[in-house]
Amino acid sequence: MMKNYLMSVMMMLSLSTLCGAEPERATFGVVGGELSPALRVYTGVEQGVPVRAVWPGSPAELAGVKSGDVILKLDGVTIKDKAAMAAFLLQRKVGDEVRATLSFGGKIREVVVKLLPRPTQLPDVHHSAEAAVGGDRMHRPMAVSEEIRRQFRERRRNICRHFATLPESFDAPGVTEELQAIRDLARDANPGGSGWMVGRAGVSAVQFRDAEGILLLRGAHNLLTLEVYSSEGKLLLRRGLNNPDEWKSLPVEVLKRLQKL
């Protein structure tokens, strides 16, 4: 009887270990990708984890990690890919500070990321400014001729000229054509690839930065939408630009920012 009792106690202890509270998982807070051959050429980086998006309010965002950065090292440990990064983070706990070595545009910098608990529900990165910027900051054609770059810059300037006519008038169809042309430039520069700002058929987006944050212009199925983000990445406004009622109702401060682009 004593033997059965001891076995029962041991089983209970084992079950309590198995079913007990799992240690909090620490999170870094980014959506990582893989370095394709084209992306290696573009970034000049042979191994690492490209950041496709940053979770709003995450340790990475608080530390200044941006979409488009490539994570090279964590605490001096070379991070070859997402698997290596996951393995590294499994050895760390909530509250640990991790020194991240990042590359962007050929420049190397370091930030300190304080790990936080992994949220029970993952944030919707598609509604963060950096997720939107990711399309403009990172997923651009990897082998781009100077002629395509020139055409892209000209299309952006044309859009800015249209902004300058607000609020008296606004050529929504003309801006839509410019966005579609930008989408086509991306497709032509990266044939057969996942593309930059190509997204779903008929969808294109361009973002503009100023001292106050980000202005994101989306074109989808011949409808224009303007999204305004603060410098912290918080969505402040989402408004259509398809008729006089919509563009004339834009806040004065937003109109001034658009006119200065």
Side-chain angles (χ1 to χ4, degrees), residues 22 24-26 83-93 115:
E22 185 178 345
E24 274 187 319
R25 288 182 61 187
M85 183 171 178
F88 176 93
L89 292 175
L90 280 174
Q91 306 303 314
R92 299 300 186 273
K93 62 183 184 299
L115 303 181

Side-chain angles (χ1 to χ4, degrees), residues 32-33 35 47-51 69-72 79-82 85:
L35 277 173
Q47 58 184 12
V49 176
V51 178
D69 287 330
V70 180
I71 300 170
L72 303 178
I79 301 299
K80 298 191 298 182
D81 51 29
K82 289 193 297 183
M85 183 171 178

Side-chain angles (χ1 to χ4, degrees), residues 83-143:
M85 183 171 178
F88 176 93
L89 292 175
L90 280 174
Q91 306 303 314
R92 299 300 186 273
K93 62 183 184 299
V94 173
D96 283 353
E97 290 188 344
V98 175
R99 188 178 74 258
T101 304
L102 310 170
S103 172
F104 179 72
K107 296 182 179 179
I108 305 296
R109 73 183 195 282
E110 287 191 349
V111 299
V112 176
V113 180
K114 186 174 183 178
L115 303 181
L116 294 176
R118 185 179 178 86
T120 54
Q121 183 174 357
L122 299 186
D124 183 358
V125 295
H126 298 293
H127 290 164
S128 74
E130 286 309 323
V133 175
D136 194 52
R137 195 168 187 256
M138 181 167 127
H139 303 300
R140 63 189 68 190
M142 303 312 170

Side-chain angles (χ1 to χ4, degrees), residues 184-252:
D184 293 342
L185 284 172
R187 179 198 62 205
D188 295 343
N190 193 25
S194 57
W196 159 60
M197 296 194 307
V198 177
R200 300 180 302 278
V203 180
S204 183
V206 174
Q207 62 90 8
F208 303 86
R209 281 182 179 269
D210 62 13
E212 298 179 55
I214 299 162
L215 299 160
L216 179 74
L217 184 66
R218 294 184 186 274
H221 313 298
N222 293 321
L223 292 176
L224 293 175
T225 303
L226 177 70
E227 294 176 3
V228 180
Y229 295 88
S230 69
S231 56
E232 292 78 27
K234 181 181 179 181
L235 178 64
L236 303 176
L237 176 74
R238 181 181 288 119
R239 183 71 54 81
L241 293 177
N242 303 290
N243 59 63
D245 289 339
E246 289 182 334
W247 69 64
K248 288 184 178 181
S249 65
L250 284 170
V252 173

